[in-house]
Amino acid sequence: MSDNNNDENNNGTDAKKTLSLSGAGLSKGTVKQNFSHGRSKSVVVETRKRKIVMPGDKPVAVAVPVAPAPAAPASTPVQAKAPVTQARAPIAPASPRRPKPRPIQIQGGLSKNEMAARTRALALANARQEEDRIKAEADAKKQADLNARRKADNEETRRREEEKNKRDKDKNEAEAREKASIASAASAAADPDAIKKPTRDDPNKAANKTKELKPFERKKTEEPAKPTRTKGGNDRRRTKLTLTNALDDNKRGPSLAAMRRRQQKAKRAAMGANTPREKISREVQLPETITVAEFAARMSERSVDVIKHLMKEGQMLKPGDVIDQDTAELIAAEFGHTVRRVAESDVEEGLFDRQDVDADKKPRPPIVTIMGHVDHGKTSLLDAIRNAKVVDGEAGGITQHIGAYQVEKNGQLITFIDTPGHEAFTSMRARGAQATDIAILVVAADDGVMPQTIESISHAKAAGVPIIVAVNKIDKPDSEPNKVRTELLQHEVFVETMGGETLEVEVSALKGTNLDKLLEAILLQSELLEITANPDRSADGVVIESQLDKGRGPVATVLVKGGTLRTGDIVVAGNEWGKVRALVNDKGDQLKEALPSMPIEVLGLSGVPSAGDQFTVVENEAKAREITEYRQRLSRDKAAARNAGSRGSLEQMMSNLQTSDLKEVAVLVKGDVQGSVEAISQSLSKLGTDEVATQIIHSGVGGITESDVSLAAASGAPILAFNVRANKQARDMAEAEGIEIRYYSIIYDLVDDMKNVLSGLLTPERRETFLGYAEILEVFNVSKVGKIAGCRITEGKVERGSGVRLLRDNVVIHEGKLSTLKRFKDEVSEVQGGQECGMAFENYQDIRKGDQIECFRVEHIERKLD
């Protein structure tokens, strides 16, 4: 641009004048400039064509330093410059010495303003170059300082390492001198005329030490090493005060007693060095598996020697590795020891096979189990005997738990165990029979012998207990006691009225008829059995029921069969153990002790034992832990063995899925007591068939917790709750996860619901109904339809949409569906026998004259579990 003013653009005002170029070849344009904060400005730009320099023109030489022109600031207006042809040299990097300016040749024809702009640009470039040089000098100085600091740090580290090595070397030399002095003292004691060897105080030794220093060690500036405490050295806390130490302040050596011990040790070594130590043979107890270290300790041998022997045999083992019983026996024989094999099960030896002396036995109350079919009046009979209403507290009027009670008759106690009669509680009835002395078989006079009655007879006979038959409900008008006696004969139960030895009593639980006679029959039978026990020893018995109480923790209802159970005893019950904190009887009273044949609730166990487990009192907690750890490990091994079939490789799993058509329904079961949970699990397992089954992923006693909901959510299983509830956190989590929790109080409602679920998974039954036969008389080709078979119905009838089979020479060559059925030209729904019609098959055209068509109807019927 030029400095000429354009008066025409001023319009006679005092505003700032617009710069304009002069001369020919001008062109105008507008450029929009953008600034910070969103401001912009439009600028008019005039350009002039480049001046062409002819060969005859002379260039103008200007001596200026070569430097890159800086970028124009954003705030300055854009100026149009004429292009200049010039020879530029590459810019040298910044250096402490400023390069000399080199003249450049600039083509002639530049204006004064352009020359001034060029001069300013070169001045700015020189200033920037000077700044770069100053910055480079500062960076070089900073890097030099950093290198110097690193070098100083490295020197300091090396110096410290050398000092540490020197201290270690001095310490080792001091220990070597100490060992040499001890050896010299021992040799002096053995040979007084021995030549005295130089000690650590010998000046020649110190001189030799100085001569042995390496050159680089002598040049270093040595710091005095810290005094180190060595064995037998100058340690004032351990060294006794002797006459030598008192006179010589500079030397505090070992005590006289230490020197005497060393001399005696040296004498023993000199006199009996070659005498082998006598080998002691030991009896080593070997369990089924043992570690190498433990095995060596039992033999009083070193683990290194045992490992060396194993290495010779080709086995590379460590002290913590486990060896089997046979290998350990061979090694013990090599070392000259004898072995005694023991098994892990030996921890249970003598727990339950205690033999009582007849002189210590005393009469105990008989344990009576009431058994029979469901709804035959077992619990009502027990209510009438003990004047309680137990049946009112049971859901549905049926007993779902084992109840144990004591009743007094003529000054004598009788223990009653009420077992459920529902088929789901077969295992509970079996446990009741195993823990009983007398079984009362309750049979309704109006109903007779039923399936659960037969099972109760089998359990009583298997347990070897006598049976007393109680014919109940004789107050009903349709009762037939003789029918009951006759039906019992079929199951080898011979009552007294039929010439047998089994006692029988006709009773009415509702009216209370003949209850005294029943109790008298029980006492008579117990006298004949001579039921006794020793109450003066530690107690043992059987767990009847167990549950997890929210306020009291694990609670086990046990039946003491022998001994006396007291508070504070250490009890082992199944896989659990604990210290008895409290004993509660059937009336809710706390007792200090429980005598034989007494049902009692035990509080203080570590967990919930299984119903039917035996319990016993042990000496201490260590014995209880040992027994329970063995049992828990055995239970885990059994569970792993059961699950081994379901585990395997991915290929095995895929092959099982392809070959098996079994559909499983995963559920999670929680109940109030262990017996109910076990009964539910057994009932659900019985529902399974070859097509559908129930998979119980978890079952437990107690309320539903968040962990149960998490497990159910991970497996997509509903939760079946029997007489338990979920806490608020579990309910909220189940609602968030979409897990269904079903609550039940009657067991057969739960079983029926699961039966319906499994029935829905069954494949519907395909039932086929024969309709008729047709013979193809002729085959017609119809456009847009295909082949049509002209047929005559020879037997039965044909329906449109029914299934068809094409028979050729009595061989089925096609099975499909009938798509078209015409009578003359009309579509019909069916054609009766003896008439002619036209038929067409779906997606099949290979039909011939003389073929036979079999028509049938297919029905799919839903199946249900029995």
Side-chain angles (χ1 to χ4, degrees):
M1 292 184 182
S2 64
D3 294 335
N4 297 331
N5 296 330
N6 192 351
D7 297 334
E8 295 179 358
N9 295 334
N10 291 342
N11 296 325
T13 61
D14 296 334
K16 187 177 180 180
K17 296 181 180 180
T18 305
L19 296 177
S20 177
L21 298 174
S22 61
L26 295 178
S27 62
K28 292 185 178 181
T30 305
V31 176
K32 186 176 182 180
Q33 290 182 333
N34 295 322
F35 304 96
S36 59
H37 304 291
R39 296 183 294 110
S40 61
K41 178 181 179 182
S42 296
V43 180
V44 177
V45 180
E46 295 180 353
T47 60
R48 185 178 59 184
K49 289 184 179 180
R50 175 184 173 186
K51 180 179 180 181
I52 300 174
V53 181
M54 300 303 292
D57 296 339
K58 295 181 179 180
V60 180
V62 181
V64 294
V66 177
S75 58
T76 58
V78 178
Q79 296 180 352
K81 299 180 180 180
V84 179
T85 302
Q86 60 184 3
R88 297 181 178 268
I91 301 175
S95 59
R97 298 184 62 183
R98 187 174 178 179
K100 295 182 178 181
R102 293 165 50 186
I104 61 174
Q105 299 251 337
I106 301 177
Q107 299 292 339
L110 294 179
S111 62
K112 294 180 180 180
N113 293 333
E114 290 175 347
M115 291 295 295
R118 290 290 181 90
T119 304
R120 289 194 300 270
L122 291 175
L124 290 174
N126 293 335
R128 178 174 297 178
Q129 188 174 5
E130 184 66 19
E131 292 177 359
D132 294 341
R133 184 185 63 79
I134 295 173
K135 183 178 180 182
E137 291 178 354
D139 292 342
K141 183 178 180 181
K142 184 176 180 181
Q143 185 65 31
D145 294 341
L146 181 61
N147 293 336
R149 285 197 300 270
R150 288 179 179 175
K151 185 176 180 181
D153 293 340
N154 293 335
E155 290 292 334
E156 180 66 20
T157 303
R158 187 176 63 81
R159 186 182 64 80
R160 290 179 181 177
E161 290 180 355
E162 291 176 354
E163 291 178 357
K164 182 177 179 300
N165 294 334
K166 180 178 180 303
R167 287 195 299 268
D168 294 342
K169 184 177 179 180
D170 294 341
K171 182 178 179 181
N172 295 335
E173 292 177 353
E175 291 178 355
R177 289 195 302 270
E178 180 65 22
K179 291 180 181 179
S181 64
I182 294 172
S184 63
S187 62
D191 187 7
D193 298 333
I195 300 174
K196 182 179 179 182
K197 296 181 181 180
T199 62
R200 60 178 180 176
D201 296 331
D202 193 352
N204 297 330
K205 185 72 175 180
N208 295 335
K209 179 181 176 182
T210 306
K211 294 179 181 179
E212 290 176 358
L213 291 177
K214 295 181 180 180
F216 72 91
E217 292 179 345
R218 292 196 299 269
K219 293 179 181 179
K220 292 189 303 180
T221 302
E222 299 180 359
E223 295 181 359
K226 296 182 179 179
T228 58
R229 187 179 301 128
T230 59
K231 184 176 180 181
N234 187 8
D235 189 352
R236 295 180 180 273
R237 290 179 296 179
R238 292 188 299 173
T239 306
K240 293 183 179 180
L241 181 63
T242 62
L243 182 62
T244 304
N245 295 335
L247 296 177
D248 190 1
D249 295 336
N250 298 327
K251 179 180 180 181
R252 294 289 298 272
S255 65
L256 292 179
M259 293 295 296
R260 192 180 299 112
R261 286 193 297 271
R262 290 171 188 153
Q263 292 174 1
Q264 292 175 357
K265 183 178 179 181
K267 287 181 180 180
R268 287 195 301 269
M271 294 175 61
N274 298 326
T275 304
R277 182 178 296 180
E278 183 181 356
K279 188 72 174 180
I280 301 176
S281 178
R282 304 177 184 275
E283 185 183 26
V284 183
Q285 290 187 358
L286 290 182
E288 295 176 358
T289 57
I290 189 172
T291 62
V292 174
E294 177 65 19
F295 176 54
R298 293 188 181 188
M299 292 192 303
S300 297
E301 303 284 352
R302 297 191 306 166
S303 299
V304 177
D305 297 335
V306 178
I307 292 174
K308 286 180 179 178
H309 180 77
L310 289 171
M311 291 174 64
K312 292 178 181 178
E313 300 297 330
Q315 299 185 33
M316 303 296 293
L317 297 179
K318 301 185 295 297
D321 292 338
V322 178
I323 58 177
D324 58 3
Q325 207 172 45
D326 296 334
T327 305
E329 185 175 3
L330 294 175
I331 298 173
E334 291 290 336
F335 280 87
H337 301 288
T338 59
V339 299
R340 182 167 66 89
R341 289 173 174 256
V342 296
E344 287 185 326
S345 58
D346 292 343
V347 297
E348 296 183 339
E349 186 177 356
L351 284 180
F352 301 104
D353 54 353
R354 301 172 184 172
Q355 300 296 331
D356 295 330
V357 183
D358 293 338
D360 298 334
K361 294 182 179 179
K362 297 179 182 179
R364 64 173 176 84
I367 302 173
V368 181
T369 300
I370 300 180
M371 309 174 75
H373 191 70
V374 62
D375 202 24
H376 275 201
K378 300 181 300 300
T379 306
S380 300
L381 180 62
L382 184 59
D383 289 348
I385 293 174
R386 61 191 294 264
N387 297 323
K389 295 295 182 182
V390 179
V391 73
D392 294 343
E394 294 286 353
I398 67 170
T399 303
Q400 303 180 102
H401 307 122
I402 292 181
Y405 316 96
Q406 276 195 330
V407 177
E408 185 176 357
K409 173 65 176 176
N410 299 332
Q412 299 183 29
L413 292 174
I414 302 174
T415 301
F416 284 94
I417 300 177
D418 183 20
T419 61
H422 190 269
E423 62 179 355
F425 297 91
T426 301
S427 59
M428 298 175 69
R429 275 202 312 278
R431 286 195 295 270
Q434 291 172 1
T436 190
D437 300 317
I438 301 172
I440 295 181
L441 183 64
V442 180
V443 186
D446 60 339
D447 204 4
V449 177
M450 299 299 289
Q452 276 75 47
T453 309
I454 300 172
E455 287 184 6
S456 301
I457 295 172
S458 301
H459 292 320
K461 289 183 177 180
V465 296
I467 298 175
I468 298 177
V469 179
V471 183
N472 195 18
K473 300 184 180 181
I474 61 172
D475 56 317
K476 285 193 173 184
D478 55 347
S479 63
E480 298 180 6
N482 291 328
K483 178 184 175 184
V484 174
R485 297 186 183 97
T486 305
E487 292 178 349
L488 288 175
L489 292 176
Q490 302 176 5
H491 303 285
E492 298 180 357
V493 178
F494 306 103
V495 296
E496 286 183 337
T497 57
M498 304 292 289
E501 297 181 355
T502 303
L503 298 176
E504 58 154 333
V505 182
E506 295 182 1
V507 297
S508 174
L510 185 62
K511 303 295 183 181
T513 307
N514 295 334
L515 297 182
D516 294 337
K517 291 183 179 180
L518 180 62
L519 295 178
E520 290 174 359
I522 294 172
L523 294 177
L524 176 62
Q525 188 70 48
S526 65
E527 290 178 3
L528 295 175
L529 295 175
E530 295 182 355
I531 303 171
T532 59
N534 181 14
D536 299 327
R537 63 172 177 86
S538 57
D540 58 12
V542 63
V543 178
I544 300 176
E545 193 57 89
S546 60
Q547 61 180 337
L548 184 63
D549 193 278
K550 185 176 181 180
R552 300 185 297 172
V555 179
T557 303
V558 302
L559 186 64
V560 182
K561 299 203 69 176
T564 302
L565 183 63
R566 298 178 176 86
T567 56
D569 288 345
I570 307 299
V571 177
V572 174
N575 296 341
E576 308 297 338
W577 73 277
K579 188 174 183 180
V580 179
R581 291 191 290 108
L583 298 173
V584 183
N585 63 3
D586 57 329
K587 299 180 179 62
D589 301 330
Q590 288 198 10
L591 305 179
K592 295 293 184 182
E593 60 182 18
L595 298 173
S597 299
M598 180 179 291
I600 201 78
E601 285 187 346
V602 177
L603 280 69
L605 295 177
S606 59
V608 179
S610 299
D613 288 340
Q614 288 183 304
F615 82 91
T616 185
V617 176
V618 296
E619 300 85 13
N620 48 45
E621 294 184 4
K623 180 72 172 178
R625 285 195 184 94
E626 187 179 7
I627 295 172
T628 53
E629 286 175 0
Y630 163 70
R631 291 181 174 179
Q632 290 171 2
R633 184 166 59 253
L634 197 64
S635 300
R636 288 194 299 268
D637 294 342
K638 289 181 179 179
R642 286 195 302 267
N643 297 332
S646 60
R647 299 176 182 172
S649 62
L650 183 61
E651 292 78 5
Q652 292 175 349
M653 183 186 69
M654 296 302 296
S655 62
N656 292 336
L657 291 176
Q658 292 174 0
T659 57
S660 176
D661 296 332
L662 182 64
K663 300 177 182 178
E664 290 186 337
V665 178
V667 294
L668 191 146
V669 179
K670 294 299 291 286
D672 55 345
V673 293
Q674 182 68 30
S676 300
V677 173
E678 184 177 349
I680 292 171
S681 301
Q682 292 181 356
S683 300
L684 295 181
S685 62
K686 290 180 181 179
L687 293 179
T689 63
D690 295 338
E691 299 182 35
V692 294
T694 304
Q695 180 186 8
I696 301 176
I697 59 175
H698 175 68
S699 61
V701 178
I704 301 172
T705 60
E706 294 178 82
S707 60
D708 297 330
V709 179
S710 300
L711 179 59
S715 56
I719 300 176
L720 308 181
F722 183 77
N723 285 337
V724 293
R725 292 294 181 269
N727 54 32
K728 185 178 184 305
Q729 294 82 0
R731 288 197 304 270
D732 296 342
M733 186 176 181
E735 184 177 356
E737 297 288 343
I739 300 301
E740 181 183 9
I741 302 178
R742 289 198 175 189
Y743 299 101
Y744 297 94
S745 58
I746 300 175
I747 189 171
Y748 48 77
D749 289 345
L750 185 150
V751 176
D752 291 342
D753 285 355
M754 290 306 301
K755 186 182 294 185
N756 294 333
V757 172
L758 294 178
S759 298
L761 295 178
L762 290 174
T763 305
E765 182 181 358
R766 186 177 184 271
R767 183 174 299 176
E768 184 178 303
T769 305
F770 173 74
L771 296 178
Y773 283 110
E775 182 182 358
I776 299 178
L777 302 178
E778 194 64 48
V779 178
F780 304 97
N781 287 322
V782 180
S783 59
K784 299 182 181 180
V785 177
K787 290 184 178 181
I788 300 294
C791 308
R792 178 187 293 118
I793 310 302
T794 59
E795 182 181 348
K797 62 178 181 179
V798 177
E799 295 179 354
R800 184 175 59 187
S802 62
V804 290
R805 294 188 183 94
L806 184 63
L807 306 179
R808 184 172 299 163
D809 297 331
N810 293 325
V811 177
V812 178
I813 62 174
H814 174 69
E815 181 175 347
K817 192 175 181 181
L818 192 63
S819 62
T820 302
L821 180 61
K822 289 189 176 183
R823 174 81 174 146
F824 299 107
K825 293 185 178 182
D826 300 328
E827 284 279 349
V828 293
S829 59
E830 66 177 30
V831 178
Q832 297 295 330
Q835 297 180 355
E836 295 182 355
C837 61
M839 291 191 228
F841 297 162
E842 285 186 355
N843 302 324
Y844 191 76
Q845 301 292 325
D846 185 16
I847 54 178
R848 301 177 186 176
K849 180 180 178 181
D851 291 348
Q852 195 174 13
I853 300 174
E854 178 185 354
C855 298
F856 58 89
R857 182 190 305 119
V858 177
E859 297 176 351
H860 294 278
I861 301 174
E862 294 184 359
R863 299 163 56 197
K864 292 186 178 181
L865 293 175
D866 298 333

